[in-house]
Amino acid sequence: MQINSPAFKENARIALHDVNLQKALGNLKAGFPTKRAAAVARMPEFEQLRDEGTALKNHILENLDIYLEQFEENVVKNGGHVHWCRTSKDACKTILDICKEVDAKTVTKGKSMVSEEINLNDYLEKNGVEPIETDLGEYILQLRGDHPSHIIAPAIHLNLEDVSDIFHEKHHRPKSSDPAVLMQEAREMLRQKFASADVGITGANFFVAETGSTIIVTNEGNGDLTQTLPKTHIVVTSIEKVVPTLEDMTLFLRLLARSATGQEFTVYNTLSTGPRRAGDQDGPENFHVVLVDNGRSEMVGSEFQEMLRCIRCSACMNHCPVYGAVGGHSYGWVYPGPMGSVLTPKMIGIENAGLLPNASTFCGKCESVCPVRIPLPKLMRHWREDEFSRHLSPKAVRWGLGGWAFFAKRPALYRILSSSSNLFLRLAAGKKGRIKKLPLASGWTNWRDMPAPSGKTFMQQYKSGKKD
Amino acid sequence: MSKSEILGNIRRGLKRGEASTEQKASVAQRLSRHTRNLVPQRAQLPHEEQIKLFIEMAKEAAAEVFELESIDDVPAICNQWLTSHGLTHIVTGSDSELLSLDWSKAENIATEQRVAQVGDQASLTLSFAGIAETGTLMLHSRGESPTTLNFLPDTHFVVLNRSDIVGPYEDAWQKLRESTNGEMPRTVNMITGPSRSADIEQKLQMGAHGPKDLIILLINR
């Protein structure tokens, strides 16, 4: 996926005026948060599970190297292979080499954000291997030449008509306004592809050091067909997804479904441990795990280590007012919303993604719903500081902050300015107490009136309180 | 090369070199203990209540549940369901319990033991455990039970003994370790209801790529 994060402001402006997108985003806002709240209410221990999940992730990160090596040992013991890849390029090349080894023409793919991150589809296509997305949302996007705008609901930015139109164009069948008919159409189109693919590629929600297993969590069953039918199964995943035992994985599964879709449990939770065994009638003959680093190992011990706790549930973006207003594509790369605003600058550079951690109201909702309590606003603030200290912030921001600092360092002057601004704003607001237009604040007043300060400044109130 | 660079970065971040023997031993011990994290109260019930919860949760996940007195009743119920849906064919696993079923009274139904193929109408497999906490079935691959039977046919019948229902997932892991001498099967499938997707306009539709119907045959054993 091409990097379009530097254009966040322009993307957001377009998104806010896109009627269809706003309609589609309405479906998100009406759905996930309500479902999550209901599922959480049914699990009285949910807060304790979050605490345990947070502590367990911290323990894993403190011992990450040991768990990764243990995982590798067990995969090999079960007849599989582990490939360690530092960069996207390494990972793509490794996967292509495996495909070439088995002379693969087509590859079915389960949903995998890591494969989006490393831009795998483009790489395979350029090198003569056809990737076929099998998750319904991803399949729709692939037909449209589009990319996911959400990490668990990839086609959330589309409406029924968009799906109907592209299916009509590509499947040459009549248009339909019934989602059930459209889904059946996709099912029929993909059946034979599952069976005839040479290689199946899936991601992994977690992988288990104790057993050398990987696990995928899906509602559709496409990932399961992807990994069972072809002769070779490649799992592409990132290093922080290791968990010690099956019991530890279970803790995260209890958190994941409820935080993501508000389900009690996802329909299919499937563990894969090595290739086909003696006596098995089906299953892949080759099992490869491609471990992707892509900057994560450098986050260990850094101010961004807590981000490595993320289990990709999407609760942060489902509850984010900014994501809800502008959608995932505005963020301009693979990971949108609050988690993306922390992760993306690490992966594509703060010079390309500086606008993302700034696109937050810091309302804190993301942190309050995160199943592993990642302090997302704090981490975004780290990026803001980093951007500022490296002189990457826009001039207007730097001058604005410089001007503010000048007054803030001079309390007497600051008080004169704040009390006179207070008076000015109240006079400008008139009797209604709201300002329709304000110089330098059109970003606010173009959309809503600015409320005027209601009374005296804090220091004026503090002083009068002292006298009492 | 990449491996040593990645591990080197991690160790630098952790401000240490390779883990000490003690650290490795402590991790190894943790891995062998299988210590449970918090197990929700909901899953810790007397067995009869676990069964009740299992049925309730499985139905909530849109599975159908039929309670049968004996596994011998399986052909009749499959026959009834398939016939009423205009279907005539079922592929089954080859476990001895399934091979010994008498299908002679299910005259309109053809049975076969093999892996699933594109176009199969229905399949029948045994399940290893039922997990009451969320109405989840646990199945695992083995020579007699090809994994494709769980995913490719449109309808999936699953036999589950009442005695194989446990409360939380952790009990199922313990049961699995005991039954396989700690060897993980190639694939373990936890299945909660039939396949579905909400990828089109966030409207939930049943039957995406896996079975459109999941039918649990709960045997009084």
Side-chain angles (χ1 to χ4, degrees):
Chain A
M1 186 173 170
Q2 279 196 331
I3 296 167
N4 196 20
S5 301
F8 178 84
K9 278 190 180 174
E10 184 55 22
N11 297 342
R13 212 186 327 273
I14 294 167
L16 285 167
H17 289 95
D18 183 335
V19 179
N20 287 333
L21 176 69
Q22 291 303 322
K23 184 177 162 228
L25 288 172
N27 297 329
L28 171 98
K29 285 185 262 189
F32 288 135
T34 318
K35 287 178 189 156
R36 176 194 173 274
V40 168
R42 283 180 79 179
M43 176 57 67
E45 299 94 340
F46 195 74
E47 291 306 307
Q48 283 165 271
L49 291 171
R50 287 176 74 193
D51 289 337
E52 287 199 358
T54 306
L56 177 55
K57 271 283 176 182
N58 288 342
H59 163 81
I60 293 166
L61 293 172
E62 289 302 316
N63 296 279
L64 187 58
D65 54 335
I66 314 178
Y67 283 123
L68 288 172
E69 288 200 291
Q70 187 64 58
F71 169 75
E72 181 183 39
E73 195 181 314
N74 284 324
V75 172
V76 172
K77 206 184 281 177
N78 287 310
H81 307 270
V82 175
H83 309 265
W84 301 70
C85 301
R86 267 205 78 177
T87 63
S88 303
K89 211 174 148 194
D90 294 344
C92 283
K93 188 173 179 313
T94 301
I95 293 168
L96 180 68
D97 287 347
I98 301 168
C99 291
K100 280 186 175 165
E101 249 173 58
V102 293
D103 198 21
K105 302 281 181 294
T106 63
V107 167
T108 42
K109 282 187 71 228
K111 190 176 163 323
S112 151
M113 291 312 287
V114 174
S115 77
E116 290 287 336
E117 178 187 319
I118 64 174
N119 215 2
L120 180 62
N121 285 7
D122 284 352
Y123 189 86
L124 290 177
E125 267 171 29
K126 274 182 200 147
N127 288 281
V129 179
E130 185 197 356
I132 300 151
E133 293 289 350
T134 62
D135 170 88
L136 179 59
E138 296 277 356
Y139 174 70
I140 295 165
L141 297 182
Q142 192 177 31
L143 292 184
R144 286 171 54 98
D146 197 352
H147 289 280
S149 65
H150 189 279
I151 64 171
I152 65 159
I156 184 81
H157 57 287
L158 300 178
N159 290 302
L160 182 64
E161 302 77 50
D162 302 314
V163 181
S164 179
D165 288 350
I166 194 69
F167 277 16
H168 172 66
E169 186 189 327
K170 302 282 182 180
H171 297 162
H172 310 295
R173 290 196 185 179
K175 286 188 184 184
S176 171
S177 56
D178 183 351
V181 171
L182 295 170
M183 192 167 76
Q184 176 64 27
E185 214 173 287
R187 181 183 173 100
E188 286 169 29
M189 294 294 161
L190 283 168
R191 284 271 114 172
Q192 207 54 53
K193 306 261 187 197
F194 280 122
S196 59
D198 304 298
V199 171
I201 299 178
T202 65
N205 293 80
F206 304 102
F207 53 96
V208 189
E210 172 203 355
T211 57
S213 313
T214 63
I215 181 167
I216 55 166
V217 174
T218 78
N219 276 318
E220 298 183 9
N222 64 308
D224 305 278
L225 290 171
T226 297
Q227 70 179 50
T228 308
L229 291 167
K231 278 190 177 171
T232 298
H233 177 201
I234 304 175
V235 181
V236 52
T237 187
S238 52
I239 56 170
E240 81 282 12
K241 289 180 180 169
V242 67
V243 295
T245 62
L246 295 170
E247 281 74 7
D248 294 326
M249 177 191 75
T250 303
L251 168 60
F252 292 122
L253 294 181
R254 283 195 179 102
L255 288 167
L256 180 63
R258 293 183 174 89
S259 301
T261 53
Q263 282 170 286
E264 289 286 314
F265 209 45
T266 314
V267 177
Y268 301 112
N269 288 259
T270 293
L271 281 150
S272 306
T273 313
R276 179 191 289 221
R277 306 281 164 84
D280 277 356
Q281 297 181 60
D282 58 13
E285 289 166 14
N286 312 299
F287 180 74
H288 295 267
V289 182
V290 176
L291 290 180
V292 179
D293 178 356
N294 218 13
R296 289 163 174 88
S297 62
E298 289 160 17
M299 291 165 76
V300 177
S302 78
E303 65 269 52
F304 297 107
Q305 176 168 315
E306 288 167 296
M307 193 59 218
L308 294 174
R309 293 206 295 262
C310 179
I311 59 170
R312 306 288 191 267
C313 70
S314 82
C316 62
M317 64 196 73
N318 292 345
H319 291 78
C320 175
V322 178
Y323 180 98
V326 301
H329 280 167
S330 295
Y331 292 80
W333 199 58
V334 179
Y335 300 106
M339 58 78 76
S341 297
V342 177
L343 208 51
T344 305
K346 188 71 210 164
M347 291 180 167
I348 65 171
I350 187 66
E351 60 283 3
N352 288 319
L355 291 170
L356 307 187
N358 285 296
S360 168
T361 62
F362 277 13
C363 69
K365 191 70 186 168
C366 49
E367 185 175 352
S368 77
V369 294
C370 175
V372 283
R373 301 195 191 282
I374 299 172
L376 290 155
K378 182 184 95 177
L379 300 184
M380 282 187 262
R381 200 174 297 119
H382 281 321
W383 277 127
R384 291 187 185 188
E385 286 165 9
D386 188 65
E387 190 193 24
F388 189 78
S389 66
R390 289 166 61 184
H391 299 272
L392 295 169
S393 319
K395 273 184 187 163
V397 173
R398 300 189 65 78
W399 288 356
L401 280 171
W404 177 81
F406 175 84
F407 287 104
K409 285 177 197 160
R410 294 164 178 81
L413 204 56
Y414 189 88
R415 274 169 220 158
I416 294 169
L417 185 74
S418 58
S419 58
S420 56
S421 314
N422 187 355
L423 185 66
F424 167 76
L425 289 172
R426 276 190 289 149
L427 287 174
K431 280 181 188 169
K432 285 186 179 165
R434 305 190 80 78
I435 303 158
K436 281 198 183 304
K437 273 198 187 307
L438 192 63
L440 303 176
S442 59
W444 179 290
T445 52
N446 278 353
W447 302 94
R448 54 187 94 72
D449 293 346
M450 170 81 92
S454 56
K456 292 177 178 174
T457 66
F458 171 76
M459 284 311 293
Q460 286 164 345
Q461 292 182 57
Y462 179 69
K463 276 183 185 162
S464 66
K466 250 181 153 181
K467 279 172 199 160
D468 297 339
Chain B
M1 187 63 182
S2 284
K3 178 180 172 182
S4 59
E5 284 174 356
I6 293 168
L7 294 176
N9 269 347
I10 293 171
R11 287 168 187 153
R12 233 186 329 276
L14 295 172
K15 297 184 178 54
R16 61 166 167 78
E18 197 175 334
S20 65
T21 320
E22 291 77 36
Q23 279 169 312
K24 285 184 183 173
S26 147
V27 163
Q29 208 174 27
R30 194 184 185 288
L31 289 176
S32 63
R33 274 199 217 122
H34 309 133
T35 308
R36 296 177 176 200
N37 301 292
L38 176 77
V39 175
Q41 210 54 48
R42 176 207 286 182
Q44 303 182 47
L45 298 165
H47 194 243
E48 274 311 303
E49 286 178 48
Q50 284 174 3
I51 295 169
K52 214 173 122 196
L53 178 63
F54 175 85
I55 296 172
E56 190 186 311
M57 296 302 289
K59 284 183 177 170
E60 190 182 298
E64 285 182 60
V65 182
F66 292 96
E67 295 190 62
L68 307 179
E69 266 316 301
S70 152
I71 193 166
D72 297 334
D73 300 334
V74 166
I77 197 84
C78 290
N79 180 34
Q80 190 188 325
W81 198 97
L82 291 170
T83 310
S84 69
H85 287 77
L87 304 174
T88 56
H89 195 266
I90 189 165
V91 188
T92 82
S94 50
D95 306 81
S96 55
E97 292 99 315
L98 296 180
L99 290 178
S100 63
L101 293 175
D102 177 10
W103 292 87
S104 61
K105 286 185 188 148
E107 287 168 0
N108 299 322
I109 306 297
T111 65
E112 249 185 297
Q113 286 84 40
R114 55 165 170 77
V115 299
Q117 292 165 1
V118 172
D120 280 342
Q121 296 174 346
S123 62
L124 171 67
T125 64
L126 298 181
S127 87
F128 172 75
I131 299 155
E133 185 175 341
T134 46
T136 299
L137 295 166
M138 181 181 279
L139 291 80
H140 67 78
S141 60
R142 55 193 186 282
E144 301 78 27
S145 195
T147 308
T148 43
L149 293 179
N150 306 339
F151 293 101
L152 212 42
D154 286 348
T155 301
H156 186 196
F157 291 92
V158 184
V159 173
L160 171 68
N161 295 321
R162 285 166 73 96
S163 58
D164 289 329
I165 290 180
V166 297
Y169 311 109
E170 284 84 348
D171 284 357
W173 296 131
Q174 191 182 327
K175 189 170 140 69
L176 184 69
R177 285 192 186 105
E178 283 164 7
S179 99
T180 60
N181 286 324
E183 290 281 311
M184 275 296 278
R186 179 182 63 74
T187 291
V188 176
N189 303 128
M190 290 194 273
I191 299 175
T192 316
S195 162
R196 68 200 64 187
S197 174
D199 272 338
I200 302 175
E201 258 191 2
Q202 294 302 291
K203 292 189 176 84
L204 186 68
Q205 305 297 324
M206 304 305 287
H209 297 292
K212 297 173 177 179
D213 294 288
L214 177 72
I215 298 150
I216 300 171
L217 307 174
L218 191 58
I219 311 295
N220 191 5
R221 187 161 74 179

